[in-house]
Amino acid sequence: MGPPSLAGFKSRWEVILGNLLWVPLPEQGMPDQGSRGARPPQEAPQNCPCKVTNTPGAPSLSVTVGIFSGYQILSALASAFLGPQRAPSRPARVLFARAHHPGLSHAAAPQKLFVPVTIVGSFGVAAVPPPGPVLPLLGAVGARTPPSVSLPQPQPGENPKPYQPPSSLHPAARGPAATVVEGGWHRTSPPPAAPTTLGWAPLQPGFLSSGGGAVIKPARGNMRARNVAGPGLQAHYASHQLFLQGGDHGRSRAHGLRGTKGTAQPAPPSGVGAGPQAMRMQLGDCPAAMQPSRWIAAWLLLLQACTPGRSQQAASPRTDIRDCSADPPYLPPTATNTTARLAALRDAMRVHSIHAYIVPSTDAHMSEYIAERDSRLGWLTGFTGSAGTVVVTRDRAALWTDSRYWTQAERQLDCNWELQRTTWIKSIGQWILEWVPAGGNVSLDPFLFSIDTWNSYSQALQGSGRALVPIETNLVDQVWGDQRPPPASSEIYSLPAEFTGSSWQEKVSGIRQQMEEHTRSPTALLLSGLEETAWLFNLRGDDIPYNPVFYSYTLLTRTNISLFVDEGRLTAEARQSLRAGCPGPLCVELHNYSQARAHLQRYAQGNVTVWLGTEYTTYGLYGVIPQEKLLEDSYSPVMLAKAVKNSKEQELLRAAHVRDAVAVIQYLLWLEQTVPQGQVDEFLGARHIDALRWAQQHSRGPSFESISASGLNAALAHYSPSNTTRRKLSVDEMYLVDTGGQYLDGTTDITRTVHWGTPTPLQKEAYTRVLMGNIDLSRLIFPPNTAGGNVEAFARRALWDVGLNYGHGTGHGIGNFLSVHEWPVGFQSNNVPLAAGMFTSIEPGYYRDGEFGIRIEDVALVVEAQTKHPTGEEPFLTFEMVSLVPYDRNLIDVSLLSQEQIKYLNAYYETIRARVGPELQRQQLEEEYRWLQRNTEPFPLASTATAAAATLGTLAIGSLLSVLLAGLQA
């Protein structure tokens, strides 16, 4: 099914607009199609498909909600707060909710009833009955006090009873905190804050009855069972309808019911529906939940936005993700059966008296990307994402990962695993406390956890009666056995001098100088990160796919250098380079990789101070150094020196990106020619662009597994195609391609999203706003020593303006023929401040789960900015774009771009022509050269008159909002 139209998108945001209002209700009936005529209170407007109807004679509250256009909502606001004389004359249908109670006649009602409308997630609203006398409207605007509502009060001697929905119910579905008494509402407080999302759980046909209440269990999804409580309550639900029969006291409650979209209306079963207390709830396009009773308490849950007069189509069940609530559980072909692996691990845990075992997704060097041999989490779970943590107890197992991988996890995990949609160690600790009994042992491999991570787990379990016990025997390796892949055996080689910024001897001398100048005067520096040793000695290897690094440790003292590595894998040239200064302070002593810990322990027994970076040092190594002999920083001086490229390294990276742009342009042209023929799928596309890169000079292959994603697969931020998941590329769907190359002179990473047909208005707007965020951050001028996290919001602002966002980081550092994700540069809170010479990606996006995904990624260099008023202090900084591939013109809505954004885009396209055009001609790629010329045509700038009109229009809107806000505050 294709992506939704803009109309569907707008309807959802019109619901969200309703969250800002207490909607005024006319004293009689509801407006229909703009008419001011009244309807009988018992009827719901016919143009809304979302209804809750009551059996005639049942004393209850009915609530109906409709959704209309943003202009009409503003019209309603103007009418409510400015008076009908000053309101727009255009007929308006407003976002409304109506409450009816038999004991409250409209004739006796106050002038306006106020019903709060509250968001319950990205796709719904909740409406609750009339509130108490004081309710907040919008914090930034002030408060408006609606008239109190006169409802029957308790009789003498009656004590109001607090109404509390079941604790198992999702907080958003519990409704307001209220005291309910016979005959009406006694007091209602405002509804709770809404969560960010709500699940979708179709009902399963069946019949349940119980003297103490019944449980409705959703057929699929992650939402747990919802309670239907009430004495003697009987519940029957079939074909999207639910019938409730009140029990001993004529009271029943239905909480948080969820149903699939549908219209079938079978008759209730025999005996259900007879009597004045019976109620029928139609679970149609918008499932509902309400309490029909003399204790009036009701609310309506809409799990999808309803557009008046538009019936929605039933959603097809997804077959690409697991369904553990089905009987039997459904697993897609991408899931892995882990039952035997978990059983073997639990047997090993019992041998060591372990009650919970924690498994990370990293290796002994805190690498983001790891070798297959170190993919312990992946082997145990089947989940192949690059970030995650697993905890296995005697009878439970759970995976924690971030939003980039939630859908991927649902595709790859079997039903032995719970998916926890967070990565906070506090959350992991709370789960352990819940499922591990007091006195239990929680264990992990200390050589797979950083110092900071170990301390976080220790703090989470402190004082709980559970012990955190390191165990050096890795239990996953033990049960993996001889099926575990062997260690790497490829060559470790020297990088030619023409591709290095300086010799390794110069780098070592610079680091030693920092050691001497440090106030603590450290005697040694421990390097655990694989990139640190590779960069320091200008060596490269192939131990981790797509990353030219090798397993190693380095202990650098003021007079000695110890390199712990598989010496037999060093090429003769590499060995000669390292040993050329022997004997002497620039002589590298070679030791076996496995001896690193023992050597460090012996060294730490002397009068020494060891400097290390806590982000890349494991607790296993850290623990052998006495605390008083440690000098700790988040990152080692080698990591920080590597992050700032010198002028030669900058030119090398620029050159690599020019050739890389040629490969990407070749690929985009090839797609334009072949996709309409229906001959390309995601997997073939990924292989093709990899081959195009291999053909470029100095290429060493891709820098990561290519992300080639069409349609709904593009909504997975880190999706990679396989034989079981690949989809055909189509002119009717968006296509996201995120790829990069490893070249001897640099590493590249670029993402482009394209559409060869007619994109929907939503797709075009979302793409343009992602582009606007990319441009706004790229052209930003900022002070020196600014943290990336302080400016990251500029990439999100255009999306935030319309309520959109993305769940991943905005950028990361990039190496010179090293890792594609190079720390500590980027826009996260734990990155170092931006400095001239740093390279970072800028990659905002937008993802619509199950439909499409958008990301635009470029690599940029931090450079000094040319400002109007330079000072004698450090100059301000900005970004120089290094990626050189044009964006998809078919997806750009130029009307959304500002004049400054268009100017920036045109200047960027001039740079692409100037730098990539000659390289295309040098490689005799004339067709690609013509493609480049077409796709870098400048965008027209608005005339002076048009720009002035746009400014006046903005001022007019601002004036209107000012008047409205003044009315609200009056």
Side-chain angles (χ1 to χ4, degrees):
M1 181 176 66
S5 68
L6 187 59
F9 170 76
K10 283 184 175 178
S11 70
R12 288 184 171 90
W13 285 106
E14 286 150 6
V15 173
I16 290 177
L17 287 175
N19 190 37
L20 308 179
L21 317 175
W22 294 117
V23 183
L25 302 181
E27 53 187 309
Q28 290 187 340
M30 295 302 305
D32 178 41
Q33 307 291 342
S35 168
R36 300 188 63 84
R39 284 179 175 270
Q42 302 92 311
E43 294 184 11
Q46 297 302 309
N47 61 349
C48 181
C50 316
K51 304 175 184 178
V52 176
T53 58
N54 300 285
T55 302
S60 61
L61 182 74
S62 64
V63 180
T64 306
V65 175
I67 295 86
F68 300 93
S69 75
Y71 175 85
Q72 292 159 346
I73 291 175
L74 289 175
S75 298
L77 272 176
S79 177
F81 295 106
L82 305 180
Q85 294 81 9
R86 297 173 60 189
S89 59
R90 178 178 172 181
R93 293 180 296 168
V94 301
L95 173 65
F96 67 86
R98 181 185 60 186
H100 173 65
H101 184 272
L104 176 64
S105 67
H106 280 274
Q111 283 286 320
K112 294 175 183 175
L113 299 178
F114 281 74
V115 176
V117 177
T118 305
I119 299 301
V120 219
S122 301
F123 305 102
V125 302
V128 299
V134 180
L135 292 170
L137 179 62
L138 182 61
V141 180
R144 184 179 182 86
T145 303
S148 60
V149 178
S150 300
L151 290 177
Q153 297 300 306
Q155 298 298 318
E158 289 184 335
N159 294 320
K161 299 178 181 179
Y163 173 72
Q164 295 293 339
S167 59
S168 62
L169 187 61
H170 193 290
R174 295 181 190 174
T179 301
V180 186
V181 298
E182 295 280 348
W185 284 90
H186 182 62
R187 178 179 59 80
T188 306
S189 60
T196 56
T197 186
L198 260 182
W200 179 262
L203 296 178
Q204 206 172 30
F207 183 82
L208 295 171
S209 66
S210 170
V215 174
I216 291 182
K217 184 178 181 181
R220 59 181 287 120
N222 290 326
M223 305 301 290
R224 299 305 177 194
R226 296 292 181 257
N227 295 328
V228 180
L233 171 68
Q234 290 183 331
H236 172 78
Y237 48 103
S239 300
H240 320 323
Q241 284 198 338
L242 173 68
F243 300 91
L244 298 178
Q245 172 65 55
D248 297 340
H249 305 290
R251 297 194 297 267
S252 60
R253 291 192 291 271
H255 301 293
L257 303 181
R258 287 162 168 74
T260 56
K261 298 176 287 184
T263 57
Q265 303 181 25
S270 176
V272 177
Q277 301 300 329
M279 175 193 130
R280 185 180 73 183
M281 291 203 300
Q282 169 119 10
L283 301 180
D285 286 316
C286 301
M290 101 183 251
Q291 174 192 351
S293 164
R294 289 180 297 161
W295 287 27
I296 306 305
W299 58 91
L300 178 65
L301 289 179
L302 303 180
L303 297 185
Q304 282 192 332
C306 311
T307 304
R310 177 174 174 264
S311 178
Q312 308 216 6
Q313 298 298 316
S316 300
R318 291 182 64 172
T319 59
D320 63 321
I321 60 175
R322 63 179 182 164
D323 180 2
C324 296
S325 63
D327 188 16
Y330 169 75
L331 294 178
T334 50
T336 300
N337 186 336
T338 63
T339 301
R341 299 173 187 181
L342 279 171
L345 178 60
R346 285 172 174 141
D347 289 342
M349 290 167 57
R350 291 185 185 94
V351 170
H352 293 274
S353 299
I354 295 172
H355 297 85
Y357 192 64
I358 307 175
V359 182
S361 58
T362 188
D363 61 14
H365 301 271
M366 302 294 100
S367 306
E368 179 183 5
Y369 298 102
I370 58 177
E372 187 179 358
R373 175 179 174 81
D374 290 314
S375 183
R376 299 172 177 90
L377 186 149
W379 176 81
L380 184 63
T381 66
F383 171 69
T384 59
S386 64
T389 301
V390 152
V391 180
V392 178
T393 70
R394 299 284 178 88
D395 56 2
R396 304 183 74 90
L399 165 71
W400 284 257
T401 191
D402 62 63
S403 61
R404 295 174 299 169
Y405 298 113
W406 290 345
T407 302
Q408 179 177 336
E410 294 288 7
R411 290 181 174 186
Q412 295 180 327
L413 297 177
D414 67 4
C415 291
N416 287 310
W417 297 92
E418 302 173 22
L419 174 60
Q420 303 290 333
R421 298 170 186 259
T422 180
T423 57
W424 293 106
I425 292 179
K426 182 178 180 180
S427 169
I428 301 174
Q430 290 172 343
W431 189 90
I432 291 174
L433 294 181
E434 181 177 1
W435 298 111
V436 174
N441 293 324
V442 180
S443 291
L444 47 74
D445 182 343
F447 291 97
L448 296 180
F449 291 85
S450 70
I451 302 164
D452 293 340
T453 304
W454 169 272
N455 290 335
S456 296
Y457 280 113
S458 179
Q459 184 177 359
L461 300 179
Q462 187 175 10
S464 68
R466 287 86 169 166
L468 185 62
V469 182
I471 177 171
E472 295 183 12
T473 300
N474 190 286
L475 300 188
V476 175
D477 292 352
Q478 182 177 318
V479 300
W480 202 346
D482 56 9
Q483 295 181 2
R484 187 182 178 207
S489 58
S490 58
E491 287 185 341
I492 301 171
Y493 57 95
S494 290
L495 195 60
E498 61 265 32
F499 299 115
T500 65
S502 54
S503 68
W504 72 259
Q505 292 88 346
E506 291 171 328
K507 294 177 182 179
V508 166
S509 298
I511 298 301
R512 280 176 169 165
Q513 183 177 352
Q514 291 189 50
M515 294 168 62
E516 293 174 1
E517 295 174 352
H518 198 285
T519 56
R520 289 279 307 275
S521 298
T523 60
L525 172 67
L526 175 65
L527 303 179
S528 296
L530 299 184
E531 297 176 16
E532 296 176 303
T533 292
W535 176 85
L536 183 64
F537 296 114
N538 292 332
L539 297 175
R540 299 295 187 268
D542 297 300
D543 290 11
I544 296 178
Y546 311 111
N547 293 263
V549 295
F550 52 93
Y551 288 109
S552 59
Y553 293 99
T554 296
L555 186 66
L556 172 65
T557 74
R558 295 182 181 181
T559 57
N560 295 291
I561 309 171
S562 298
L563 173 60
F564 302 89
V565 68
D566 185 348
E567 182 179 351
R569 295 171 53 203
L570 290 166
T571 65
E573 183 183 4
R575 184 190 299 271
Q576 181 180 359
S577 171
L578 296 173
R579 302 287 294 171
C582 297
L586 291 176
C587 170
V588 179
E589 299 175 359
L590 301 175
H591 303 271
N592 191 279
Y593 173 78
S594 62
Q595 297 176 356
R597 186 192 185 203
H599 185 98
L600 179 63
Q601 191 169 19
R602 289 194 299 270
Y603 178 80
Q605 294 174 358
N607 183 22
V608 299
T609 300
V610 180
W611 194 4
L612 54 79
T614 58
E615 289 286 339
Y616 284 85
T617 304
T618 66
Y619 185 77
L621 282 181
Y622 175 83
V624 305
I625 307 172
Q627 191 67 35
E628 67 275 9
K629 297 181 180 182
L630 280 167
L631 171 58
E632 302 176 37
D633 280 320
S634 295
Y635 302 101
S636 76
V638 169
M639 190 69 75
L640 297 176
K642 175 176 59 65
V644 179
K645 275 61 175 174
N646 62 28
S647 58
K648 182 179 179 182
E649 290 170 324
Q650 292 174 25
E651 287 306 314
L652 288 169
L653 264 169
R654 287 190 181 100
H657 278 82
V658 170
R659 298 192 309 279
D660 193 73
V662 170
V664 177
I665 290 170
Q666 286 179 290
Y667 182 62
L668 293 176
L669 173 60
W670 177 78
L671 289 175
E672 286 186 6
Q673 296 170 340
T674 56
V675 169
Q677 302 172 16
Q679 300 176 353
V680 183
D681 62 31
E682 297 166 329
F683 189 78
L684 292 176
R687 300 290 78 78
H688 187 67
I689 193 169
D690 290 348
L692 291 171
R693 279 200 170 91
W694 270 112
Q696 290 297 315
Q697 187 180 23
H698 305 317
S699 175
R700 289 299 180 269
S703 57
F704 56 95
E705 187 175 6
S706 294
I707 298 173
S708 171
S710 178
L712 60 86
N713 285 340
L716 282 68
H718 279 205
Y719 166 84
S720 293
S722 67
N723 284 327
T724 56
T725 64
R726 61 184 181 182
R727 303 175 75 248
K728 278 288 184 69
L729 273 58
S730 168
V731 295
D732 298 321
E733 291 185 330
M734 299 187 81
Y735 173 66
L736 185 154
V737 54
D738 182 351
T739 60
Q742 290 287 10
Y743 303 88
L744 291 175
D745 47 354
T747 305
T748 69
D749 185 6
I750 186 170
T751 307
R752 290 296 181 261
T753 306
V754 297
H755 196 300
W756 301 283
T758 303
T760 67
L762 167 59
Q763 291 174 333
K764 197 164 185 174
E765 179 182 0
Y767 179 92
T768 304
R769 291 188 177 278
V770 171
L771 176 60
M772 291 163 67
N774 183 294
I775 293 173
D776 288 346
L777 184 53
S778 299
R779 59 186 293 269
L780 184 68
I781 296 175
F782 51 92
N785 298 313
T786 296
N790 292 342
V791 298
E792 190 250 15
F794 282 89
R796 300 179 185 266
R797 183 175 60 179
L799 290 165
W800 286 355
D801 283 345
V802 293
L804 304 181
N805 202 1
Y806 52 93
H808 56 72
T810 295
H812 55 80
I814 196 161
N816 276 83
F817 189 34
L818 276 170
S819 296
V820 69
H821 287 180
E822 184 178 80
W823 285 75
V825 179
F827 298 96
Q828 299 184 38
S829 59
N830 55 348
N831 292 139
V832 297
L834 297 169
M838 292 180 173
F839 283 79
T840 180
S841 69
I842 296 175
E843 48 182 305
Y846 173 67
Y847 308 90
R848 198 168 183 86
D849 188 31
E851 297 181 16
F852 63 88
I854 300 166
R855 185 162 63 254
I856 299 175
E857 177 184 16
D858 295 300
V859 172
L861 168 64
V862 182
V863 297
E864 295 181 1
Q866 303 299 315
T867 57
K868 181 179 180 181
H869 301 290
T871 65
E873 302 173 355
E874 291 185 71
F876 275 52
L877 302 174
T878 189
F879 296 105
E880 173 196 321
M881 195 58 63
V882 176
S883 298
L884 298 168
V885 177
Y887 310 114
D888 186 7
R889 300 177 79 92
N890 188 37
L891 283 167
I892 299 175
D893 183 351
V894 182
S895 67
L896 294 177
L897 301 178
S898 70
Q899 296 297 289
E900 291 302 318
Q901 289 167 338
I902 294 176
K903 290 178 181 177
Y904 172 90
L905 199 55
N906 288 341
Y908 174 53
Y909 280 4
E910 288 179 7
T911 301
I912 294 176
R913 284 185 171 189
R915 300 206 63 190
V916 182
E919 181 65 21
L920 288 170
Q921 292 179 316
R922 188 188 70 81
Q923 296 188 30
Q924 299 181 354
L925 299 171
E926 293 303 325
E927 190 174 8
E928 286 79 0
Y929 179 81
R930 291 191 295 272
W931 182 95
L932 177 67
Q933 297 301 308
R934 291 194 306 272
N935 285 275
T936 54
E937 286 290 333
F939 291 94
L941 290 167
S943 64
T944 304
T946 304
T951 302
L952 289 174
T954 302
L955 291 174
I957 293 173
S959 299
L960 173 60
L961 291 176
S962 299
V963 172
L964 289 175
L965 294 178
L968 287 172
Q969 293 172 329

